[in-house]
Structures are given as C-alpha cells and as structure tokens.
Amino acid sequence: MSQDEHKHVVSYKTYTIILINLLILTAISVAVTEIELGPLTVFMAVFLASVKSALVLIYFMHLKFDNAMYKIMVGLVLVVFVIVMVITFLDYNFR
Amino acid sequence: MEPNYLEYKGKYKGIFAWIFSTDHKRIGLLYLYAVGAFFCVGALLGLLMKLELIAPDKTIMEAQVYNSVFTLHGITMIFLVVIPGLPAVFGNFLLPIMIGAKDVAFPKLNLLSWWVYVFGALLALSSQFMGSGPPDTGWTFYAPYSFQTQSNVLPAVMGAFVLGFSSILTGLNFIVTMHRMRAPGMGWFRMPLFPWTLYATAWIQLLATPIVGITLLMIVAERTLGIGFFDPAKGGDPILYQHLFWIYSHPAVYIMILPAMGAISEILPTFSKKPIFGYKALVFSSLAIALVGYFVWGHHMFTAGMSGTALYAFSFLTFLVAIPSAIKVFNWVSTLYKASIDMQTPFYWATSFIFVFMIGGFSGLVLGALATNVHVHDTAFVVAHFHFIVFGGVGYAFFGAIHYWFPKIWGRMYDVKWANFGWLTFFIGYLALYGPMFYLGLVGMPRRYFDYLPEYHGPNILSSLGAIVMIGGLAIIITNLIISSRRGETAKANPWGGSTLEWTVPSPPPLENFEEIPVVDKNPYEYK
Ligand SMILES: [Cu+2]
C-alpha cells in the first residue's frame, strides 16, 4: 500500500460545511412533504436521500481519496439499486 | 511440526477453546454443529407434517398446530440452515486454505458473526415458548396477517433480523479476504470455483440482507406502534411488503444455491481426473446469476395484484436467469465427458445434485411463465419446486461437500459402504417424497393445509412413506459421519487426488494452514 494514500487530512472546515449541508437537506426533505407532489413524492424523498448519502460517502467515508477500484464498486452497487427502484415502479406506476 | 487445529491448545480450555476461537476452521465447525442440529430439528418437523398428511382429516395434529409447525420448519430451515449452510460452514473452513491464506481477513469479526448467529437463532426459537403461542404466519411473514395475528410473531421477526447481521458480516469478511489475501501468483482467474461462488454470494449477502432487515423492522413497527406501512386501512400497501420481502428473499435463494454450485464444481473435476470444462464460463455464470438474481423477485407475486407491465418484466427477467444456470449444467456434464471417472460417495452426491437440480430448474420455468403460474400458484407444485431447488440443490451439495472434505476436516475416513447405502436410501426416499407433490399441485392440492380432499389421498401416502424412507437415509448418513469422525481410519493428505490448495496441507490442517504461504504457478484444476 503506498504511503500517499493516507496523506489526506480533511480539514474541520470541510467537515463542518458538509454537516451543515446535510442538515439543510434534512430540513428540505421534511419541508417538501408540505407540497403535494403526487407520484413524484417518492422520487423527491429518494433523490434527497441519495444526495445526502453521496455526500457522506464522498467526504466522511473518504471515497474521494480512495483508488478507482472502490469508486467503481460503489458505483456498480448504485446501478443495482437504481435498477431495483425502476423495476419496483414498473408495478406502482402502471397499476 | 505445528499441532493440527483440532489438537491445538490456546488460551482457553475445553469448550471455551472452541467458542472463543478465532481460527476459521474451528468457527467453520461451530457453524457445522449448530447448522446440523437445527437441520435435524427442521427435518423432524417436516416429517411431522408429512405424517399429518398421510390421511385426510386430522391425523396427528390440529390445524393451528400444523400452521405453527410449517412456520417453524420454514424459519429453521431457511434462516438457520440453508442461508448460513455452505458459506458459513465450508466457506469458513476452506476459503482461506483454498486461496493460500492463514485465516480470513478479520478473524475476530468472524467469531462475532457466529455469536450473532447463535443469539439470533435463540431469539427466533424463543417465539415457541413465550407469549401468546408460536407464530403461524409461514416463514415469509406476509402482511397483513403478520401484523394482525395474535400469535407470538415478534421474537421470530427480530431473530431473523439479528441473523441477517451474521450473514452480512460473513459476506464482508469473505470479500475482503478474497481481495486482499490470495496467495502470490493466484490471480483472480486462478482462484478455484468454490471461492468464486462464495465471492458472488458475499456480494448478495452484503447488499440484499439489509433490505430484509429494514422490512422486518417495518413489521415490528406496524405491530407495536400501528404505523400503516402495509395496512390498507391506514393508507398502506400489503403488496409493498411482498416487494420488500422478496427483493431480499429471492437473491437469498442464490446465497443458498451459488456456493452449492461451487462445491459441485470442485467435486466433479476431482473425480473426473480432468480439468473442469469452461472454467471462465462457470465464473461469469456465477456473477451473472448473482446480478440478474437481484431483478427477478416479482415472480413470487404474480397473483398478488401487480401491474401488467411489472408482470411481463419479471417473467422475462426470470427466464433470463435460466441461461447462466443452464451454462453451469452444460459445463458440468462436459467435464464428465470422456473423463476417467472415479465412482466415490461425493461423486454420487454431485451427479444426483445435477439430476434433482434440473428437475427443480425446469419446474421453475413452469412457475416463471405467467399463464401456468396462475394455475399452480400456492399449490403443492410450488412446495415440490423449491424443495427440489433448495433441498435438492443445497442439501445434496452440502452432503456431497461433507463427504468430499470429510477426510480433510477430521483427518479420518468414513465408512464408504454405509455412506453409499445412506445416499441411495436418501435419494429414493427424496424422490418418493417430493415427486408426487408436483402431481398433487397440478391437480389442485393447495399448500399449507393440514387437510385435503379424499381424491388426493393416494399420492399423499406415497409422499409420506417417502419422507419416512428419506429420514431413515439421513439417520444412516449422519450416524456414519459422527462415528467415523471419531473412529474412522486415518486419512491421507490428499485421498482423492484433488489439485486445489487444501489438498496440499496435512489432514487435519495445522493451526495456521501453511507453514509457508504457497506460490501458485498453475490453474486450479490440473491433474497429472
Ligand atoms: Cu424467486
């Protein structure tokens, strides 16, 4: 394992900014339930949750500094997840 | 030389030397004993059901007892036996040896997985003895019944939730082990096929299990807090439960069957004395089964009221999984072609596996087709189908595996005559037990009833007699293995002439498997 993989020290400032963003997104996902979005309700909730988990994965879990292999693996998992969602909604959106 | 893993003396004595051991081989055996004990319980429950069904009307138990018995049979067999089955027992014991490592990547986490498994198992079984009577929902805990029934569903649901963690941790451990700890020279495509199937399985364990965990918690929330996830009266949707449950539980079938296919892929070349046919095809078909297996869950719900679009999509995707499964069967058969076959007990199990697995697979196509599915849905046909896949697949591969790796694990040989006689008895009983259920399903006998119309009597007698013969076969097999593990003849390091790494170490293997980590310079299946 090469030494420079571990050189990245993320500043408290970055972490704080991400934390604030996560809190804002949480507030939005609560607030947005006041608006009647119809069939888009679930889409909105999943979308906001995805953005939040992306932030956590990239910064808090250091995916940004990992080697390409792990990025690809996480990416493929997301592709599987998206397909599962799409197939589920083949049921709900066509009933 | 180092003492072998069975005799090694560590910090702890007696039973503690086992239940606190971080040695992957001892943990593998801990799983074997637990899984074996639960399997015997589950098999006896199955026998009780068949005795009830030997004649119409009440034979030995009331309807409510029957409901509890099939629920407990399902929970025990699925969550406690076949899901941990091959990965936790043979995966733990063999994976590190087969890839030339001293242990798994996280030995302590591995021990924790076993403890979590035991805790989850006790929690699930406690539902039998506490509260308002044993659960009667079936192992699938379908909503709305699972939140309406007065029976004691919660501990069983929580037990399944806890067991999920054991499965996830094992999967994680195996993935890291295979990425990080292969012996020098063992590229991905020099890895034997059993580890390959464990790799595909581990990804399913890791990605699909959390979904059933959350789903089971939703049942708990629905029962205790009255949140309306699944209750139509509160705006919920009972079909949502079926989606969530099967998004895990279909891939779970591949958690069970993929390592079984891996074990078969080890046994066949060894007893054919010939490299496995289509190594890469077998590797990629494992990965393809794991991947496509995520997208077919809806075939359990064809009559539940899904949209037509979803019906077509799921039926199509289900047929797609048949392709990689067939690729495997063709490669196994091609391996046997023009081979110098050595007829030994594991070989009998492996070839009978192919036979019963094919019947299971083809009957799966009947269920995957929309029109025929409506006719046989929730009949004995479905029960026959999944026992041919899960018991015929996983069970036969498990017994094949234990007869194959037995000399490696205990350093002793079993009595071959009794082992073969046990296999034959089991095989005859098995076909007599499940074969008639295909017919019964086609003529309309529903599953999960303790009673049936008089015209179904004949095939049911055959089926129940088959169950008795099969249990007799099991008793022979298990007794032979237990006695032989203590008093069998001493086995050589490589009694079968296998070519994978586990056969290069002594039997039983020393504590750290290899005195020196081997350097791999050949493909896994090359015979002199
Ligand atoms: Cu399925």
Side-chain angles (χ1 to χ4, degrees), chain A residues 36-89:
Chain A
E36 189 48 66
L37 289 170
L40 288 178
T41 316
V42 176
F43 174 79
M44 198 62 196
V46 173
F47 174 75
L48 288 168
S50 310
V51 175
K52 280 161 66 185
S53 25
L55 286 174
V56 171
L57 281 168
I58 292 168
Y59 289 97
F60 289 173
M61 300 182 81
H62 282 212
L63 198 58
K64 196 177 172 192
F65 314 112
D66 265 327
N67 66 42
M69 168 81 145
Y70 299 119
K71 289 178 191 166
I72 293 168
M73 279 161 115
V74 174
L76 287 177
V77 170
L78 287 179
V79 171
V80 170
F81 174 73
V82 169
I83 301 175
V84 165
M85 290 300 281
V86 168
I87 297 178
T88 308
F89 280 85

Short mmCIF file of all heavy atoms in Angstrom, two decimals, chain A residues 36-89:
data_model
loop_
_atom_site.label_atom_id
_atom_site.label_comp_id
_atom_site.label_asym_id
_atom_site.label_seq_id
_atom_site.Cartn_x
_atom_site.Cartn_y
_atom_site.Cartn_z
N GLU A 36 -47.80 19.10 -2.30
CA GLU A 36 -48.40 17.89 -2.88
C GLU A 36 -47.75 17.59 -4.22
O GLU A 36 -48.00 18.28 -5.21
CB GLU A 36 -49.91 18.10 -3.04
CG GLU A 36 -50.65 16.85 -3.44
CD GLU A 36 -50.29 15.62 -2.60
OE1 GLU A 36 -50.61 15.63 -1.38
OE2 GLU A 36 -49.70 14.69 -3.15
N LEU A 37 -46.85 16.59 -4.26
CA LEU A 37 -46.12 16.30 -5.49
C LEU A 37 -46.71 15.13 -6.27
O LEU A 37 -46.19 14.75 -7.31
CB LEU A 37 -44.66 16.00 -5.16
CG LEU A 37 -43.81 17.18 -4.70
CD1 LEU A 37 -42.47 16.71 -4.19
CD2 LEU A 37 -43.60 18.18 -5.84
N GLY A 38 -47.76 14.51 -5.72
CA GLY A 38 -48.37 13.37 -6.41
C GLY A 38 -47.38 12.22 -6.56
O GLY A 38 -46.70 11.86 -5.61
N PRO A 39 -47.31 11.67 -7.77
CA PRO A 39 -46.43 10.49 -7.96
C PRO A 39 -44.95 10.81 -7.75
O PRO A 39 -44.15 9.90 -7.63
CB PRO A 39 -46.70 10.08 -9.41
CG PRO A 39 -47.44 11.20 -10.04
CD PRO A 39 -48.04 12.04 -8.98
N LEU A 40 -44.61 12.12 -7.72
CA LEU A 40 -43.20 12.47 -7.55
C LEU A 40 -42.75 12.47 -6.09
O LEU A 40 -41.57 12.68 -5.79
CB LEU A 40 -42.91 13.83 -8.17
CG LEU A 40 -42.93 13.86 -9.71
CD1 LEU A 40 -42.69 15.27 -10.22
CD2 LEU A 40 -41.86 12.92 -10.27
N THR A 41 -43.70 12.23 -5.15
CA THR A 41 -43.36 12.29 -3.73
C THR A 41 -42.20 11.37 -3.39
O THR A 41 -41.21 11.78 -2.79
CB THR A 41 -44.58 11.85 -2.88
OG1 THR A 41 -45.72 12.48 -3.42
CG2 THR A 41 -44.39 12.25 -1.43
N VAL A 42 -42.34 10.12 -3.82
CA VAL A 42 -41.30 9.13 -3.50
C VAL A 42 -40.00 9.51 -4.20
O VAL A 42 -38.92 9.45 -3.61
CB VAL A 42 -41.75 7.72 -3.92
CG1 VAL A 42 -40.64 6.72 -3.68
CG2 VAL A 42 -42.99 7.33 -3.16
N PHE A 43 -40.14 9.94 -5.46
CA PHE A 43 -38.94 10.31 -6.21
C PHE A 43 -38.16 11.39 -5.46
O PHE A 43 -36.95 11.31 -5.31
CB PHE A 43 -39.33 10.81 -7.60
CG PHE A 43 -38.15 11.35 -8.37
CD1 PHE A 43 -37.27 10.47 -9.00
CD2 PHE A 43 -37.91 12.71 -8.43
CE1 PHE A 43 -36.17 10.96 -9.69
CE2 PHE A 43 -36.81 13.21 -9.12
CZ PHE A 43 -35.94 12.33 -9.76
N MET A 44 -38.88 12.41 -4.97
CA MET A 44 -38.25 13.52 -4.27
C MET A 44 -37.52 13.03 -3.02
O MET A 44 -36.35 13.38 -2.79
CB MET A 44 -39.34 14.53 -3.88
CG MET A 44 -38.82 15.89 -3.54
SD MET A 44 -38.02 16.59 -5.00
CE MET A 44 -37.11 17.91 -4.23
N ALA A 45 -38.20 12.19 -2.23
CA ALA A 45 -37.59 11.69 -0.99
C ALA A 45 -36.33 10.89 -1.30
O ALA A 45 -35.28 11.08 -0.67
CB ALA A 45 -38.60 10.83 -0.23
N VAL A 46 -36.42 10.01 -2.31
CA VAL A 46 -35.26 9.18 -2.65
C VAL A 46 -34.13 10.05 -3.20
O VAL A 46 -32.96 9.85 -2.88
CB VAL A 46 -35.66 8.07 -3.67
CG1 VAL A 46 -34.43 7.31 -4.14
CG2 VAL A 46 -36.65 7.12 -3.03
N PHE A 47 -34.50 11.04 -4.00
CA PHE A 47 -33.48 11.91 -4.58
C PHE A 47 -32.69 12.64 -3.49
O PHE A 47 -31.46 12.64 -3.47
CB PHE A 47 -34.15 12.92 -5.52
CG PHE A 47 -33.18 13.96 -6.06
CD1 PHE A 47 -32.26 13.61 -7.04
CD2 PHE A 47 -33.19 15.26 -5.56
CE1 PHE A 47 -31.36 14.55 -7.52
CE2 PHE A 47 -32.30 16.20 -6.05
CZ PHE A 47 -31.39 15.85 -7.02
N LEU A 48 -33.44 13.27 -2.53
CA LEU A 48 -32.75 14.00 -1.47
C LEU A 48 -31.88 13.06 -0.63
O LEU A 48 -30.74 13.37 -0.29
CB LEU A 48 -33.77 14.72 -0.58
CG LEU A 48 -34.43 15.93 -1.24
CD1 LEU A 48 -35.63 16.41 -0.44
CD2 LEU A 48 -33.42 17.06 -1.42
N ALA A 49 -32.42 11.87 -0.33
CA ALA A 49 -31.65 10.91 0.47
C ALA A 49 -30.40 10.49 -0.28
O ALA A 49 -29.33 10.31 0.32
CB ALA A 49 -32.51 9.70 0.80
N SER A 50 -30.51 10.37 -1.62
CA SER A 50 -29.33 9.96 -2.40
C SER A 50 -28.24 11.03 -2.34
O SER A 50 -27.06 10.71 -2.20
CB SER A 50 -29.70 9.71 -3.86
OG SER A 50 -30.81 8.87 -3.94
N VAL A 51 -28.66 12.30 -2.48
CA VAL A 51 -27.67 13.37 -2.41
C VAL A 51 -26.96 13.33 -1.07
O VAL A 51 -25.73 13.42 -0.97
CB VAL A 51 -28.33 14.75 -2.63
CG1 VAL A 51 -27.32 15.87 -2.44
CG2 VAL A 51 -28.94 14.83 -4.01
N LYS A 52 -27.75 13.14 0.01
CA LYS A 52 -27.15 13.11 1.34
C LYS A 52 -26.17 11.95 1.48
O LYS A 52 -25.06 12.12 1.97
CB LYS A 52 -28.25 13.02 2.41
CG LYS A 52 -28.90 14.37 2.68
CD LYS A 52 -30.25 14.23 3.35
CE LYS A 52 -30.12 13.64 4.74
NZ LYS A 52 -31.46 13.39 5.32
N SER A 53 -26.60 10.76 1.05
CA SER A 53 -25.68 9.64 1.23
C SER A 53 -24.45 9.79 0.34
O SER A 53 -23.35 9.39 0.73
CB SER A 53 -26.36 8.28 1.01
OG SER A 53 -27.46 8.40 0.18
N ALA A 54 -24.62 10.45 -0.82
CA ALA A 54 -23.45 10.69 -1.66
C ALA A 54 -22.44 11.57 -0.91
O ALA A 54 -21.24 11.29 -0.90
CB ALA A 54 -23.87 11.35 -2.97
N LEU A 55 -22.94 12.62 -0.26
CA LEU A 55 -22.03 13.49 0.50
C LEU A 55 -21.30 12.72 1.59
O LEU A 55 -20.07 12.86 1.77
CB LEU A 55 -22.81 14.65 1.13
CG LEU A 55 -23.27 15.74 0.17
CD1 LEU A 55 -24.16 16.75 0.89
CD2 LEU A 55 -22.07 16.45 -0.44
N VAL A 56 -22.05 11.88 2.30
CA VAL A 56 -21.43 11.10 3.38
C VAL A 56 -20.36 10.17 2.81
O VAL A 56 -19.24 10.09 3.32
CB VAL A 56 -22.51 10.30 4.16
CG1 VAL A 56 -21.85 9.32 5.12
CG2 VAL A 56 -23.44 11.24 4.90
N LEU A 57 -20.72 9.48 1.72
CA LEU A 57 -19.77 8.53 1.12
C LEU A 57 -18.51 9.24 0.65
O LEU A 57 -17.39 8.81 0.93
CB LEU A 57 -20.43 7.82 -0.07
CG LEU A 57 -21.39 6.68 0.25
CD1 LEU A 57 -22.16 6.29 -0.99
CD2 LEU A 57 -20.62 5.49 0.78
N ILE A 58 -18.70 10.37 -0.05
CA ILE A 58 -17.56 11.02 -0.69
C ILE A 58 -16.63 11.65 0.34
O ILE A 58 -15.42 11.46 0.31
CB ILE A 58 -18.05 12.08 -1.70
CG1 ILE A 58 -18.74 11.38 -2.87
CG2 ILE A 58 -16.89 12.92 -2.21
CD1 ILE A 58 -19.50 12.30 -3.78
N TYR A 59 -17.22 12.38 1.31
CA TYR A 59 -16.35 13.11 2.23
C TYR A 59 -16.11 12.35 3.54
O TYR A 59 -14.98 12.05 3.90
CB TYR A 59 -16.94 14.49 2.52
CG TYR A 59 -16.83 15.37 1.31
CD1 TYR A 59 -17.91 15.52 0.44
CD2 TYR A 59 -15.63 16.03 1.01
CE1 TYR A 59 -17.79 16.29 -0.71
CE2 TYR A 59 -15.51 16.80 -0.13
CZ TYR A 59 -16.60 16.94 -0.98
OH TYR A 59 -16.47 17.70 -2.11
N PHE A 60 -17.21 12.00 4.26
CA PHE A 60 -17.00 11.37 5.56
C PHE A 60 -16.34 10.00 5.42
O PHE A 60 -15.53 9.61 6.25
CB PHE A 60 -18.33 11.23 6.31
CG PHE A 60 -18.88 12.53 6.80
CD1 PHE A 60 -20.14 12.60 7.38
CD2 PHE A 60 -18.13 13.71 6.70
CE1 PHE A 60 -20.64 13.80 7.83
CE2 PHE A 60 -18.63 14.91 7.15
CZ PHE A 60 -19.90 14.97 7.71
N MET A 61 -16.69 9.27 4.39
CA MET A 61 -16.12 7.94 4.24
C MET A 61 -14.93 7.91 3.27
O MET A 61 -14.46 6.84 2.89
CB MET A 61 -17.20 6.93 3.82
CG MET A 61 -18.30 6.87 4.85
SD MET A 61 -19.59 5.69 4.46
CE MET A 61 -18.81 4.19 5.01
N HIS A 62 -14.47 9.11 2.90
CA HIS A 62 -13.21 9.27 2.14
C HIS A 62 -13.20 8.59 0.77
O HIS A 62 -12.13 8.26 0.27
CB HIS A 62 -12.03 8.73 2.97
CG HIS A 62 -11.60 9.70 4.01
ND1 HIS A 62 -10.30 9.83 4.43
CD2 HIS A 62 -12.31 10.58 4.73
CE1 HIS A 62 -10.23 10.76 5.35
NE2 HIS A 62 -11.44 11.21 5.56
N LEU A 63 -14.37 8.39 0.18
CA LEU A 63 -14.37 7.75 -1.13
C LEU A 63 -13.59 8.60 -2.14
O LEU A 63 -12.95 8.10 -3.06
CB LEU A 63 -15.80 7.55 -1.61
CG LEU A 63 -15.97 6.52 -2.72
CD1 LEU A 63 -15.44 5.17 -2.28
CD2 LEU A 63 -17.43 6.40 -3.11
N LYS A 64 -13.61 9.93 -1.89
CA LYS A 64 -12.94 10.86 -2.80
C LYS A 64 -11.45 10.54 -2.92
O LYS A 64 -10.84 10.74 -3.96
CB LYS A 64 -13.12 12.28 -2.26
CG LYS A 64 -12.83 13.36 -3.27
CD LYS A 64 -13.11 14.73 -2.69
CE LYS A 64 -12.63 15.80 -3.65
NZ LYS A 64 -12.61 17.12 -3.02
N PHE A 65 -10.88 10.03 -1.82
CA PHE A 65 -9.43 9.80 -1.83
C PHE A 65 -9.06 8.34 -2.06
O PHE A 65 -7.91 7.98 -2.05
CB PHE A 65 -8.82 10.28 -0.51
CG PHE A 65 -9.34 11.63 -0.10
CD1 PHE A 65 -10.15 11.76 1.02
CD2 PHE A 65 -9.03 12.76 -0.85
CE1 PHE A 65 -10.62 13.00 1.39
CE2 PHE A 65 -9.52 13.99 -0.48
CZ PHE A 65 -10.32 14.13 0.64
N ASP A 66 -10.08 7.48 -2.24
CA ASP A 66 -9.78 6.07 -2.43
C ASP A 66 -9.41 5.79 -3.88
O ASP A 66 -9.66 6.62 -4.76
CB ASP A 66 -11.01 5.22 -2.06
CG ASP A 66 -10.91 4.74 -0.63
OD1 ASP A 66 -9.78 4.49 -0.17
OD2 ASP A 66 -11.96 4.65 0.04
N ASN A 67 -8.83 4.59 -4.10
CA ASN A 67 -8.47 4.33 -5.50
C ASN A 67 -9.68 3.93 -6.34
O ASN A 67 -10.75 3.60 -5.82
CB ASN A 67 -7.29 3.34 -5.60
CG ASN A 67 -7.66 1.97 -5.12
OD1 ASN A 67 -8.75 1.48 -5.43
ND2 ASN A 67 -6.78 1.35 -4.36
N ALA A 68 -9.49 4.00 -7.65
CA ALA A 68 -10.60 3.89 -8.60
C ALA A 68 -11.43 2.63 -8.40
O ALA A 68 -12.64 2.63 -8.57
CB ALA A 68 -10.06 3.95 -10.03
N MET A 69 -10.76 1.54 -8.02
CA MET A 69 -11.43 0.26 -7.80
C MET A 69 -12.65 0.40 -6.89
O MET A 69 -13.74 -0.08 -7.19
CB MET A 69 -10.40 -0.69 -7.18
CG MET A 69 -10.97 -1.94 -6.63
SD MET A 69 -11.24 -3.11 -7.93
CE MET A 69 -10.86 -4.59 -7.02
N TYR A 70 -12.47 1.09 -5.74
CA TYR A 70 -13.57 1.22 -4.79
C TYR A 70 -14.67 2.12 -5.34
O TYR A 70 -15.85 1.88 -5.11
CB TYR A 70 -13.07 1.76 -3.45
CG TYR A 70 -12.05 0.85 -2.82
CD1 TYR A 70 -10.76 1.29 -2.56
CD2 TYR A 70 -12.38 -0.46 -2.50
CE1 TYR A 70 -9.82 0.44 -2.01
CE2 TYR A 70 -11.44 -1.32 -1.95
CZ TYR A 70 -10.16 -0.87 -1.71
OH TYR A 70 -9.24 -1.71 -1.16
N LYS A 71 -14.25 3.15 -6.09
CA LYS A 71 -15.26 4.04 -6.69
C LYS A 71 -16.13 3.25 -7.65
O LYS A 71 -17.35 3.40 -7.67
CB LYS A 71 -14.58 5.20 -7.41
CG LYS A 71 -13.96 6.19 -6.44
CD LYS A 71 -13.26 7.32 -7.17
CE LYS A 71 -12.43 8.12 -6.17
NZ LYS A 71 -11.49 9.01 -6.82
N ILE A 72 -15.48 2.39 -8.43
CA ILE A 72 -16.24 1.59 -9.39
C ILE A 72 -17.20 0.63 -8.65
O ILE A 72 -18.36 0.49 -9.00
CB ILE A 72 -15.28 0.79 -10.31
CG1 ILE A 72 -14.51 1.76 -11.20
CG2 ILE A 72 -16.05 -0.22 -11.15
CD1 ILE A 72 -13.35 1.13 -11.94
N MET A 73 -16.68 0.00 -7.58
CA MET A 73 -17.52 -0.94 -6.84
C MET A 73 -18.75 -0.25 -6.27
O MET A 73 -19.87 -0.74 -6.40
CB MET A 73 -16.73 -1.59 -5.72
CG MET A 73 -15.85 -2.74 -6.17
SD MET A 73 -14.58 -3.07 -4.97
CE MET A 73 -15.01 -4.67 -4.44
N VAL A 74 -18.53 0.92 -5.64
CA VAL A 74 -19.68 1.64 -5.07
C VAL A 74 -20.62 2.07 -6.19
O VAL A 74 -21.84 1.97 -6.07
CB VAL A 74 -19.19 2.86 -4.25
CG1 VAL A 74 -20.37 3.69 -3.79
CG2 VAL A 74 -18.38 2.39 -3.06
N GLY A 75 -20.03 2.51 -7.32
CA GLY A 75 -20.84 2.92 -8.46
C GLY A 75 -21.74 1.79 -8.95
O GLY A 75 -22.94 1.98 -9.19
N LEU A 76 -21.18 0.58 -9.04
CA LEU A 76 -21.96 -0.56 -9.53
C LEU A 76 -23.10 -0.89 -8.57
O LEU A 76 -24.21 -1.22 -8.99
CB LEU A 76 -21.06 -1.78 -9.71
CG LEU A 76 -20.10 -1.72 -10.91
CD1 LEU A 76 -19.20 -2.95 -10.94
CD2 LEU A 76 -20.89 -1.61 -12.21
N VAL A 77 -22.81 -0.76 -7.27
CA VAL A 77 -23.86 -1.02 -6.29
C VAL A 77 -25.02 -0.04 -6.50
O VAL A 77 -26.19 -0.41 -6.46
CB VAL A 77 -23.30 -0.89 -4.86
CG1 VAL A 77 -24.42 -0.91 -3.84
CG2 VAL A 77 -22.31 -2.01 -4.59
N LEU A 78 -24.65 1.24 -6.78
CA LEU A 78 -25.70 2.23 -7.02
C LEU A 78 -26.52 1.89 -8.26
O LEU A 78 -27.73 2.07 -8.28
CB LEU A 78 -25.09 3.62 -7.15
CG LEU A 78 -24.58 4.21 -5.84
CD1 LEU A 78 -23.96 5.57 -6.06
CD2 LEU A 78 -25.72 4.31 -4.83
N VAL A 79 -25.83 1.38 -9.30
CA VAL A 79 -26.55 1.00 -10.51
C VAL A 79 -27.58 -0.09 -10.18
O VAL A 79 -28.74 -0.03 -10.60
CB VAL A 79 -25.56 0.51 -11.61
CG1 VAL A 79 -26.32 -0.09 -12.78
CG2 VAL A 79 -24.68 1.65 -12.06
N VAL A 80 -27.16 -1.10 -9.39
CA VAL A 80 -28.08 -2.17 -8.99
C VAL A 80 -29.28 -1.57 -8.26
O VAL A 80 -30.43 -1.90 -8.54
CB VAL A 80 -27.36 -3.20 -8.08
CG1 VAL A 80 -28.36 -4.17 -7.48
CG2 VAL A 80 -26.31 -3.95 -8.86
N PHE A 81 -28.99 -0.64 -7.34
CA PHE A 81 -30.06 -0.01 -6.57
C PHE A 81 -31.05 0.72 -7.48
O PHE A 81 -32.27 0.59 -7.34
CB PHE A 81 -29.44 0.96 -5.55
CG PHE A 81 -30.46 1.77 -4.81
CD1 PHE A 81 -31.24 1.17 -3.83
CD2 PHE A 81 -30.64 3.12 -5.08
CE1 PHE A 81 -32.19 1.91 -3.14
CE2 PHE A 81 -31.58 3.86 -4.39
CZ PHE A 81 -32.35 3.26 -3.42
N VAL A 82 -30.51 1.47 -8.45
CA VAL A 82 -31.39 2.23 -9.35
C VAL A 82 -32.29 1.27 -10.15
O VAL A 82 -33.49 1.49 -10.29
CB VAL A 82 -30.56 3.12 -10.30
CG1 VAL A 82 -31.43 3.69 -11.41
CG2 VAL A 82 -29.91 4.25 -9.53
N ILE A 83 -31.68 0.16 -10.63
CA ILE A 83 -32.49 -0.79 -11.40
C ILE A 83 -33.61 -1.37 -10.53
O ILE A 83 -34.76 -1.50 -10.96
CB ILE A 83 -31.61 -1.93 -11.99
CG1 ILE A 83 -30.54 -1.34 -12.90
CG2 ILE A 83 -32.46 -2.92 -12.78
CD1 ILE A 83 -29.56 -2.38 -13.43
N VAL A 84 -33.27 -1.70 -9.27
CA VAL A 84 -34.29 -2.25 -8.37
C VAL A 84 -35.44 -1.25 -8.20
O VAL A 84 -36.62 -1.61 -8.25
CB VAL A 84 -33.66 -2.61 -7.00
CG1 VAL A 84 -34.74 -2.83 -5.94
CG2 VAL A 84 -32.80 -3.85 -7.13
N MET A 85 -35.09 0.05 -8.04
CA MET A 85 -36.13 1.07 -7.88
C MET A 85 -36.99 1.16 -9.14
O MET A 85 -38.22 1.20 -9.08
CB MET A 85 -35.49 2.44 -7.61
CG MET A 85 -34.85 2.58 -6.26
SD MET A 85 -36.00 2.34 -4.90
CE MET A 85 -36.83 3.92 -4.87
N VAL A 86 -36.32 1.20 -10.29
CA VAL A 86 -37.06 1.33 -11.56
C VAL A 86 -38.03 0.16 -11.71
O VAL A 86 -39.22 0.35 -12.03
CB VAL A 86 -36.08 1.38 -12.76
CG1 VAL A 86 -36.84 1.21 -14.07
CG2 VAL A 86 -35.33 2.70 -12.75
N ILE A 87 -37.56 -1.06 -11.42
CA ILE A 87 -38.43 -2.23 -11.59
C ILE A 87 -39.61 -2.16 -10.63
O ILE A 87 -40.74 -2.47 -11.00
CB ILE A 87 -37.62 -3.54 -11.39
CG1 ILE A 87 -36.53 -3.67 -12.46
CG2 ILE A 87 -38.54 -4.73 -11.48
CD1 ILE A 87 -35.68 -4.89 -12.30
N THR A 88 -39.33 -1.74 -9.39
CA THR A 88 -40.43 -1.64 -8.41
C THR A 88 -41.52 -0.71 -8.94
O THR A 88 -42.71 -0.98 -8.81
CB THR A 88 -39.90 -1.11 -7.07
OG1 THR A 88 -38.79 -1.89 -6.68
CG2 THR A 88 -40.98 -1.20 -5.99
N PHE A 89 -41.06 0.40 -9.53
CA PHE A 89 -42.06 1.36 -10.00
C PHE A 89 -42.70 0.96 -11.32
O PHE A 89 -43.67 1.58 -11.75
CB PHE A 89 -41.47 2.78 -10.01
CG PHE A 89 -41.50 3.34 -8.62
CD1 PHE A 89 -40.48 3.09 -7.72
CD2 PHE A 89 -42.61 4.05 -8.19
CE1 PHE A 89 -40.53 3.56 -6.42
CE2 PHE A 89 -42.68 4.52 -6.89
CZ PHE A 89 -41.64 4.28 -6.00
#
